[in-house]
Amino acid sequence: MAESIQKDQKPVSFDKYISSSSRCSFIAIVIFLIFLSHFLYSFSFIPFIQSPSKISNSLLVPVVQVGSGNTPEEKTELKHVVFGIAASSKLWKHRREYVKTWWKPDGGMKGAVWLEKTTVNDTVSSTLPEIRISSDTSRFKYRYRRGHRSAIRITRIVSETVRMLNGTESERNVRWIVMGDDDTVFFTENLVRVLRKYDHKQFYYIGAPSESHLQNLNQFSYGMAYGGGGFAISYPLAKALEKMQDRCIERYSGLYGSDDRIHACMAELGVPLTREVGFHQFDVYGSLLGLLSVHPQAPIVSIHHLDVVKPIFPRMDRVKAVKRLMISAKLDSASLVQQSICYDTTHKWTVSISWGYTVQIIRTYMPARMMEVPTRTFIEWHKRRDFTNVAFNTRPITYTGCQRPRVFYMSRALGDSSSGTTITEYLRHKEDNPKCEWGIPDPSDINRIFVYKKSNPNRWNKAPRRDCCRLLPTTKTGTMMIKVTACENDEIVAYSNK
Ligand SMILES: *[C@@H]1O[C@H](CO)[C@@H](O)[C@H](O)[C@H]1NC(C)=O
Ligand SMILES: *[C@@H]1O[C@H](CO)[C@@H](O)[C@H](O)[C@H]1NC(C)=O
């Protein structure tokens, strides 16, 4: 018997609540689940299309931080972060659509987009950061042969941001400078969760290296924060960098990019990279499905290379796909793309959920240690299909035709911000699958999956642990109902007790 499933099943049928109309059934299930968890009051729908800025800030529950004196210091919030977005005039018109998906001006966000020149019509927009024109860099040497000297302009955004803030009213509030590209999206609540772990009054350089082993090994470094994945520099460190950066980059005119120039100057300052795995450079091609379905147990902070990889949700415009993921992020950002694994013992299936993104069903019981390894839905940066060139374990999508996963992508989400109740709906991605003679039911018999979960904004204040999922009873054909929740202390993901 599987221990991780059907633990708190209730002998109730959902069927009478489900009409043939999907909208009615969705709402019926919502209502039922509210009863189930005794959230009988103050229920309000968060509709499918709502601007991310409307997300309740109550999802971020205070953590008491003590400052250097006796007065407790205010915890780090978005208003303490100043963003520097590296952009180019040529691509800004297109790339700004990505920035719009995460930029929340009414959430007190500060920062600027840095362009090399003004473009016609880049008028001030209330939905975007202000535009700044980088200062002239023609005096700096750039000697990398096939590179582009815009790297110098971009690396100096940190210093230019310090100078922009110098002496202003808002400077007092600045704790972190966060750099990203115009094709990077940030999950800002998670960014704040990560930054809160560190003392902003000290020197910190926070980010992550590339997925590509060769990129880290040859061209760049495992000790470098890749610029596209984004990185955070504490304000005192940014000020120290500003003092030396222009002289520093003259010493590294042979380097390729902007982020390796930052890394070189950090090395001179003696400040190492603090690695946070939620920053994603994503130096890959193809589909992010394999990677985002088994995200590390840490909050997802960023996704980069949105124009390089396939749309996050298939058969959809890239920007729209990001917006869809932001709907889940809005309901439970801390749990976004966090995995849970359970077994359907009735059908002999393995179920893997990446909350707010996908559910996958596979014939037979696959052990947890295999299910938490990314599948090769992507190819690495050098397009060699050589998985010894990624800096982590991977596995084939399937070992046999019978075990090819059925992938269900998140289609709709509802939540109640006062109780934290969320229901996400996932629809099966239609694909041709090989015939299977194993006598195990076809997971393609399921078309629609509902995942019920309470948002858990404080999960990262505890030791990391995967959530557990449990199948809820339903006899509705083609539908599966799953509850995702924190595991019990001794709960395990195993398909046999023997
Ligand atoms: C600038 O905006 C105006 C008015 O919206 C439009 O008519 C014009 O074509 C735009 N110019 C460019 C270069 O996009
Ligand atoms: C900040 O402003 C002061 C006063 O104008 C000036 O002396 C100082 O050099 C400036 N510092 C930076 C980093 O720009």
Side-chain angles (χ1 to χ4, degrees):
M1 268 301 293
E3 288 197 0
S4 68
I5 61 165
Q6 301 179 346
K7 230 185 146 166
D8 56 2
Q9 278 186 5
K10 296 200 169 79
V12 195
S13 165
F14 287 93
D15 300 16
K16 64 181 171 187
Y17 297 98
I18 300 172
S19 78
S20 55
S21 143
S22 73
R23 171 167 282 272
C24 284
S25 70
F26 196 60
I27 290 166
I29 288 156
V30 170
I31 292 165
F32 180 80
L33 288 171
I34 298 316
F35 274 93
L36 189 71
S37 55
H38 311 291
F39 299 114
L40 289 163
Y41 53 89
S42 62
F43 188 73
S44 60
F45 288 99
I46 297 178
F48 186 56
I49 304 159
Q50 189 178 352
S51 83
S53 62
K54 297 238 178 76
I55 183 162
S56 158
N57 282 331
S58 65
L59 289 180
L60 295 173
V61 171
V63 187
V64 177
Q65 270 184 2
V66 181
S68 50
N70 287 330
T71 43
E73 194 185 51
E74 190 188 0
K75 64 196 164 73
T76 292
E77 298 283 2
L78 262 182
K79 66 176 182 192
H80 299 118
V81 176
V82 175
F83 290 91
I85 298 161
S88 69
S89 308
K90 205 172 114 198
L91 294 174
W92 177 237
K93 193 167 185 283
H94 160 62
R95 295 276 175 86
R96 67 186 175 188
E97 297 306 319
Y98 291 127
V99 177
K100 279 181 194 167
T101 65
W102 62 270
W103 186 257
K104 298 167 200 163
D106 42 354
M109 276 195 196
K110 289 194 299 270
V113 172
W114 296 82
L115 299 173
E116 76 278 22
K117 59 168 196 241
T118 40
T119 56
V120 197
N121 283 0
D122 53 32
T123 45
V124 185
S125 158
S126 58
T127 56
L128 283 168
E130 64 175 300
I131 286 174
R132 295 259 168 171
I133 307 302
S134 304
S135 58
D136 179 48
T137 55
S138 52
R139 68 182 184 283
F140 294 94
K141 292 192 291 288
Y142 184 84
R143 294 206 168 114
Y144 191 93
R145 260 202 282 155
R146 292 175 317 281
H148 199 280
R149 60 174 300 118
S150 64
I152 293 168
R153 176 180 80 79
I154 288 164
T155 201
R156 291 174 80 250
I157 291 175
V158 180
S159 291
E160 293 212 72
T161 302
V162 171
R163 279 173 227 137
M164 174 182 96
L165 294 166
N166 185 28
T168 64
E169 180 61 27
S170 53
E171 191 185 19
R172 277 186 301 121
N173 261 331
V174 179
R175 298 183 180 182
W176 297 93
I177 293 182
V178 172
M179 290 287 305
D181 283 355
D182 50 2
D183 61 341
T184 306
V185 297
F186 285 101
F187 301 95
T188 52
E189 292 181 354
N190 287 337
L191 173 68
V192 167
R193 284 186 175 99
V194 167
L195 295 181
R196 270 181 197 165
K197 298 196 317 199
Y198 302 98
D199 178 359
H200 63 93
K201 293 188 285 313
Q202 301 188 43
F203 281 11
Y204 279 108
Y205 165 53
I206 303 170
S210 173
E211 293 74 18
S212 163
H213 180 51
L214 285 184
Q215 288 275 92
N216 294 327
L217 201 64
N218 298 339
Q219 176 94 48
F220 303 106
S221 166
Y222 274 101
M224 178 181 114
Y226 280 61
F231 55 86
I233 295 181
S234 58
Y235 197 56
L237 178 56
K239 286 205 279 194
L241 178 71
E242 188 275 337
K243 284 202 189 91
M244 57 82 84
Q245 193 180 23
D246 281 355
R247 281 169 292 132
C248 172
I249 57 184
E250 286 291 15
R251 292 188 277 276
Y252 300 97
S253 59
L255 292 182
Y256 166 77
S258 59
D259 42 9
D260 45 359
R261 283 173 168 78
I262 296 277
H263 175 232
C265 303
M266 287 297 162
E268 290 195 356
L269 287 161
V271 178
L273 173 65
T274 295
R275 204 167 157 170
E276 276 287 348
V277 294
F279 290 88
H280 295 292
Q281 169 76 8
F282 281 146
D283 280 340
V284 298
Y285 293 91
S287 169
L288 293 180
L289 174 66
L291 294 167
L292 289 182
S293 293
V294 297
H295 192 271
Q297 289 185 48
I300 180 167
V301 174
S302 68
I303 296 177
H304 176 234
H305 275 151
L306 290 159
D307 280 338
V308 173
V309 295
K310 289 187 177 158
I312 289 170
F313 291 97
R315 294 170 198 163
M316 192 183 248
D317 165 86
R318 285 185 161 81
V319 174
K320 278 201 184 121
V322 172
K323 284 183 183 159
R324 178 164 293 188
L325 196 62
M326 288 296 173
I327 293 163
S328 310
K330 188 174 54 180
L331 293 178
D332 188 4
S333 54
S335 298
L336 183 65
V337 299
Q338 286 299 308
Q339 190 185 17
S340 45
I341 304 162
C342 43
Y343 301 111
D344 180 335
T345 47
T346 315
H347 298 101
K348 282 200 176 157
W349 291 340
T350 301
V351 178
S352 172
I353 300 168
S354 166
W355 187 84
Y357 174 51
T358 57
V359 179
Q360 299 190 50
I361 307 180
I362 300 159
R363 280 192 185 91
T364 71
Y365 301 136
M366 309 262 279
R369 70 183 291 274
M370 180 181 277
M371 291 308 295
E372 62 185 14
V373 174
T375 51
R376 297 169 185 163
T377 62
F378 60 95
I379 58 168
E380 60 82 43
W381 200 238
H382 298 84
K383 296 192 173 173
R384 289 181 195 162
R385 293 181 193 274
D386 173 4
F387 284 87
T388 61
N389 183 24
V390 289
F392 46 86
N393 300 94
T394 62
R395 65 180 174 94
I397 294 170
T398 186
Y399 295 95
T400 72
C402 279
Q403 286 172 304
R404 181 164 281 279
R406 305 298 187 267
V407 185
F408 299 71
Y409 286 95
M410 199 279 285
S411 52
R412 285 190 291 181
L414 289 171
D416 168 31
S417 55
S418 61
S419 70
T421 311
T422 77
I423 296 125
T424 40
E425 178 200 56
Y426 304 76
L427 298 179
R428 184 163 54 80
H429 184 56
K430 303 250 173 5
E431 283 173 307
D432 287 334
N433 286 294
K435 279 230 153 35
C436 176
E437 309 293 339
W438 284 1
I440 299 174
D442 186 349
S444 299
D445 293 345
I446 302 290
N447 294 311
R448 178 194 304 267
I449 298 172
F450 292 101
V451 172
Y452 161 69
K453 183 181 178 304
K454 283 204 70 178
S455 76
N456 189 2
N458 295 320
R459 65 181 300 151
W460 302 116
N461 299 339
K462 299 178 196 139
R465 191 177 177 197
R466 254 203 330 263
D467 280 333
C468 281
C469 49
R470 295 156 200 167
L471 268 60
L472 299 169
T474 173
T475 51
K476 171 82 181 168
T477 317
T479 300
M480 192 183 250
M481 313 276 282
I482 307 173
K483 180 179 176 181
V484 170
T485 176
C487 302
E488 303 292 335
N489 266 346
D490 53 0
E491 190 167 2
I492 60 171
V493 177
Y495 45 88
S496 162
N497 270 332
K498 293 195 193 89

